[in-house]
Amino acid sequence: MIQAKNLKKVYSTEEVETTALNNVNIEIKEGEFVAIMGPSGCGKSTLLNIMGLLDNPSDGEYHFLGHDVSNKTERERAQLRKGNIGFIFQSFNLIDELTVFENVELPLLYLGMSADERKEKAEAALERMSMMHRRNHFPQQLSGGQQQRVAIARAVVANAKLILADEPTGNLDSDHGNEVMKVLAELNEQGTTIVMVTHSPHDADYAMRVIHLFDGHVVTENMQEGFHV
Amino acid sequence: MFRNYLKITLRNLWKNKSYSFINIFGLAVGLASCIVILLYVTNELSYDKHHKKADRIARVASFIDFSGSYLELATTSAPMGPTLKNDYAAVEDMVRFRPRGEFHVRSGDTNIKETDIIFSDPTVFNVFTIPVIHGDAETALLEPYTMAISKSKALKYFGKENVVGESLLLDDEHSYKITAIYEDMPPASHFNFEFLLSMETNSDEANNGVWLSNNFRTYLLLKEGTDLKAFEENFKSIKKTYVEPQLIQFTGNGLDEFEEAGNSLHYQLQPLTDIHLHSDLVAEFKPNGNINYVFLFSGLAAFILILACINFMNLSTARSVKRAKEVGIRKSLGSLRKQLVGQFFTESMLLCLFSFLIALLLVELTLPFFSNLSGTHLVTNYFSDSTLITSIISIVLITGLLSGSYPAIMLSGFKPIKVLKGAFQHKEKSKFRSTLVVFQFSVSLVVIIGLLVINKQLEFIQNQSLGFQKEQTIIVHDAYMLSSNLQAYKDQLLNEQEFKSSTVSSYLPVSGFSMNDQTFWPKGEDPIQGNNSSLQVWRVDEDYIPTLGMEIIEGRNFSKERGSDGNTVILNEALAQRFGFEDPVGEIITTFTQNPDGSFDNENLREFTIIGIVKNFHFRSLKENISPLGLFKGASRGNVIFKIDAKNASIALSKLENTWTEMAPGQPFSYSFLDDRFDQMYRSENRVSNLVFAFSVLIIVIACLGLFGLSAYSAEQRTKEIGIRKVLGANVAGIVSLVSRDFIKLILISFFIAAPIGYFIMQKWLTEFTYKTNIGFDVFLISGIGIIVIAVITVSWQSVKAALANPVKSLKSE
Ligand SMILES: Nc1ncnc2c1ncn2[C@@H]1O[C@H](COP(=O)(O)OP(=O)(O)O)[C@@H](O)[C@H]1O
Ligand SMILES: [Mg+2]
């Protein structure tokens, strides 16, 4: 599903050039659950953004679902992203002015689905995350764990093949964190590919494979033997 | 998708009520101003277009430069119209109007003074579109002493519409038979006659064949496709064939010599539909509009709208940090940039639509006020004119697009990764915003400077030494109605303590009264080649100069004895100078006599001995130079003028009226105050001043609303910084100045941009006046300090609030 070859990402500002990624080679197959770990500032988010087609690498090749996307325009990337990739963020990133239901429905709007279809799918996704009873609430009225569950519902509502999660439990206490991790593991069970950035070894245990980044380089990649379910 | 945008928009509006208010209210005011101005402009441009043949009608104007006086006349000579129609195939028809002033119109006991009354050729109904309801348009005005009257006058005098065959008595002298009733002329017309009297009544003058006297407003109906400029060439041969022989007869010289002596005479055609906005000649039917004011007000309205759009842009970009997150999320969920652009435009369009609805309401509320200020009669009949309605719709659309453009482009361009990183550190892109604020305040300042200069000039006019005293002077009109009682009326009132002095004359040094000029030259010189001048000839009595507070600077006033001073004159300084008299008293000036039909008799000359010189007094608008004028002793019984005691105006008025009713029973009493009549000469300047004042208030309010919003935002953004500073010991004043400083800097920059622009524009405006004030330092001082005070109050409102906030609160919430 994902092949990255010699990925390089350099941020240049007026004063300094930061090499966020250097020579990163990664391959991720359909159905995998991969965790990316590493100290703050080592380039985890940068890697995830490139995988999620939110950003272009400075150098190297990146193939997503068989398309070479390393040099596509923003517009082309947006088209490919639609419906294929779902994002989950540490800070949830729900739109405050929209209700739970409207937030979840949003990706379907951009896919141009009919109202009935949207309703059916969004409700199904909320049901799956046990958030139906909160469908008419606004994000500010929910706890962090609930907000993150809404965000997950939004990520999966369009049947995304790949879910990218950047520290999804980072803002949650351990109970809520575990809840979220269970949901992700379940999704993976049902066939969704998941790539997750995390600081927590406990969360990483849910993954099949852990990639350790340090200073923009892949340090080790190890398969987890008996990972939790 | 649209519903989603709609929801977001409405919820955002609701959540940020003060921003929404500033945006919607500002745009509503902007749109309302634009709509009002559009109504005004549409009305100004619609003048005389209701005439079906309007595009083929033109008026003959005469431009005469003779013996030092230059006249641009809306009139021409009596034979001009008939001759053109007779000699040129291109002239399909023509009509002439000849006003003879006001008439008292009587039907039974009703006797009312009417002003919109005119002698007209019978062709008036063919050339112009004046629908005749009763009677026959073809034959209505053929006979002498026949008249056509408007529907509303028919109702007023007879209480019914069809009054064909009835009669009205004019000035208790002549009875006119009513032959036709026509629909009232619409207000958007450069003439509005209520009574058309047949020209045949006045046939002596109408058929007199005198080319050198210009008293007839003449309109030509030209054949389809006639080119006006080309047709004007014909005036050369008209001059040669008809005017020159009379010129030779009158002056002894032909056209060439006439022109060599520095004189000129030419005729022009004015397209009918240009008259209202482009013509400002002597003897217009009523004060016309002014294309410059159309431009001025359109410009001001456009500025108000632009300023409101700028507020919209400024506030929405200031809030971009908040919106950026939404943009990032939407993008990560698959929104294309163009969809976001669409979303933000939808928002601005919706906002604009709300504003538009409020604007419509504001227009309804303010239109009567504006009509009053601008002296026009405007109605909100949006669908009467397709250009009007399309203009309004386009303005609303353009406003939506314009105000949405910058936020749409800027916000939709945010890169999702940057925005979604959690706390989005938005680098203040405030340069653009500052530029817009500077623009807003520069415009405001230019308008304020304009306003101050206009008011300064009006004040200057009020305080100008006029050479006569306009205060406490009552003019009783139509003194001739007292007939033989005139002297008794005057004497009886002068016995009362309220009245100090009194004089009888038709001539007054304000507009709206008789003017009469004639050519004079020093005795013994050649009237054409030599030292000559046209001179205002005013017939007054010996009380005129003292009653009006004029000053004799040499020689003497007329003496009281009846019959004396018959061939004497008191000149103003202007003529004395022009003729170069060293010691004018005792010199003699000469003029032609005039035949009864208005032509000149150059065989019999008249001579007048100068007995005194009166100090120059302004007898026209201060836009014009004081030209030569002579006071002649003689009867002109237009008005009795009383100088009264300051305290007793109302008692004086009732005495004037009571005595009038006794001595002129059945005749209407009418009066005016000299200083009111004086103010009327500057009505158009006063109007402009009022309108500019109204607009400048709006402009300043909108600019301040924007500033208020921005400073609120800036204070909000800096809450944490302010909190820390306070913890570290900063005081309130320090913090207020911290937050306000940047804005005050912008206002100062605006001032330096606006001052020269304002100076330049107003200097130009002042050139219209011969007697004018100077744009002093005070104008800039007042406008500069004024705007800074307003801005400081606006800004510190927010910064004081921020400075007074409890720092613990603001720091904890982070
Ligand atoms: N937009 C950017 N501009 C400049 N430097 C950046 C930008 N984003 C990230 N970086 C730098 O790149 C490096 C990697 O960042 P990131 O991928 O966010 O790290 P992580 O997610 O592992 O904490 C850091 O040194 C960070 O400062
Ligand atoms: Mg990160």
Side-chain angles (χ1 to χ4, degrees), chain A residues 11 13 18 20 39-47 167, chain B residues 418 421:
Chain A
Y11 292 111
T13 59
T18 319
S40 208
C42 70
K44 305 181 297 290
S45 297
T46 307
L47 180 59
E167 303 188 38
Chain B
K418 286 198 185 150
K421 265 177 112 173

